[in-house]
């Protein structure tokens, strides 16, 4: 689905609001549970999300790393992280709403991404990192990813196009077909969430019948 600039920003705000409420519900005892994100615990994943939002709010995107976000918040509680997320999102949204259509199509501080793609990447990261935490806590995924899942898959498709997957069609269960580049001779189907986890390196691509090079973060 193609969303307008205003709709995309509004949906990202909703994603951050949902995430804030979710973080507030995490217990202190669960914060040190390991996750599927490299060496990060639940606290670390949450700290990375918060740090990313604050980078947008302060206009410092690209100047700090995920590991710095984590190192800056080694003992933060769920409520502290949720408060930071809330305050950062408020400021970030004011900045994002000043963007016009001309700026929307221009390069962003995220390497290789336009401003639109950068905002969509923030949406994908928030959606997937919540799922990382749910997985660590033994919780089920959201009953429906809705637009977050659909836009995340579209973002992944655009990144796959940069990695020579330009004759592929994504025909995932219950999702609109996405053609990557011209042609579309190769077809990838199956569960959309499992595809997304594989395409972002969270599970092995081979486990869902995909080429290992499908991981968009593989360099």
């Amino acid at each position: 689905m193609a969303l307008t600039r205003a709709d995309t920003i509004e949906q990202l705000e909703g994603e951050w609001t949902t995430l804030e409420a979710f973080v507030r519900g995490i217990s202190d005892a669960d914060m040190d549970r390991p996750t599927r994100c490299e060496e990060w615990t639940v606290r670390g994943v949450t700290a990375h999300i918060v740090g990313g939002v604050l980078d947008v709010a302060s206009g410092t995107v690209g100047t700090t790393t995920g590991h710095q976000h984590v190192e800056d918040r080694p003992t933060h509680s769920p409520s502290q992280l949720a408060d930071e997320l809330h305050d950062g999102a408020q400021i970030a949204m004011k900045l994002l709403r000043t963007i016009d259509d001309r700026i929307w199509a221009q390069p962003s501080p995220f390497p290789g991404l336009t401003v639109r793609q950068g905002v969509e990447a923030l949406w994908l990261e928030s959606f997937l990192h919540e799922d990382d935490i749910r997985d660590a806590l033994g919780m089920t995924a959201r009953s429906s990813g809705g637009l977050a899942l659909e836009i995340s898959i579209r973002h992944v498709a655009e990144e796959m196009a940069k990695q020579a997957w330009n004759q592929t069609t994504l025909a995932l269960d219950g999702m609109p077909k996405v053609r990557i580049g011209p042609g579309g001779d190769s077809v990838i189907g199956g569960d959309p969430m499992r595809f997304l986890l594989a395409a972002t390196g969270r599970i092995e691509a081979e486990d869902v019948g995909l080429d290992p090079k499908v991981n968009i973060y593989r360099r």
Side-chain angles (χ1 to χ4, degrees):
M1 173 182 291
L3 295 177
T4 66
R5 168 180 49 81
D7 285 343
T8 302
I9 292 170
E10 181 181 350
Q11 290 292 329
L12 176 61
E13 181 178 33
E15 190 70 34
W16 283 346
T17 299
T18 297
L19 187 59
E20 178 196 335
F22 176 71
V23 170
R24 289 193 189 281
I26 301 173
S27 71
D28 288 324
D30 283 333
M31 292 298 281
D32 293 319
R33 287 182 180 268
T35 72
R36 59 194 174 198
C37 294
E38 300 177 346
E39 300 175 357
W40 291 350
T41 61
V42 169
R43 191 192 322 274
V45 171
T46 309
H48 172 46
I49 300 169
V50 170
V53 174
L54 291 175
D55 284 347
V56 176
S58 61
T60 57
V61 170
T63 64
T64 56
T65 66
H67 289 292
Q68 286 175 285
H69 298 154
V70 175
E71 290 170 1
D72 288 345
R73 299 165 180 83
T75 61
H76 278 39
S77 68
S79 61
Q80 286 176 307
L81 290 166
D83 286 345
E84 279 195 283
L85 177 57
H86 174 84
D87 294 344
Q90 295 258 309
I91 297 170
M93 277 298 140
K94 288 181 181 178
L95 293 174
L96 291 174
R97 289 193 174 102
T98 66
I99 294 171
D100 59 23
D101 288 334
R102 179 183 60 83
I103 295 174
W104 193 239
Q106 291 181 351
S108 76
F110 295 102
L113 301 180
T114 65
V115 173
R116 171 185 66 79
Q117 291 169 328
V119 171
E120 291 179 352
L122 289 169
W123 193 353
L124 174 148
E125 287 280 304
S126 298
F127 172 64
L128 274 183
H129 279 318
E130 180 187 327
D131 193 71
D132 294 330
I133 296 170
R134 286 180 174 275
D135 175 75
L137 301 183
M139 301 171 65
T140 58
R142 289 191 201 172
S143 57
S144 172
L147 274 176
L149 179 57
E150 188 173 331
I151 296 301
S152 293
I153 288 171
R154 189 182 78 178
H155 179 79
V156 166
E158 290 187 339
E159 289 300 295
M160 288 173 67
K162 300 175 184 177
Q163 300 181 16
W165 289 81
N166 57 357
Q167 290 188 331
T168 303
T169 296
L170 301 182
L172 301 165
D173 299 345
M175 292 280 113
K177 288 185 179 181
V178 180
R179 181 170 290 179
I180 304 173
D185 299 332
S186 174
V187 177
I188 296 176
D191 178 79
M193 193 65 190
R194 294 276 292 169
F195 164 79
L196 195 58
L197 294 176
T200 56
R202 285 163 166 81
I203 62 174
E204 293 295 328
E206 296 94 327
D207 291 348
V208 290
L210 297 176
D211 186 309
K213 291 183 292 187
V214 77
N215 180 356
I216 64 169
Y217 298 131
R218 191 184 300 274
R219 295 291 184 263

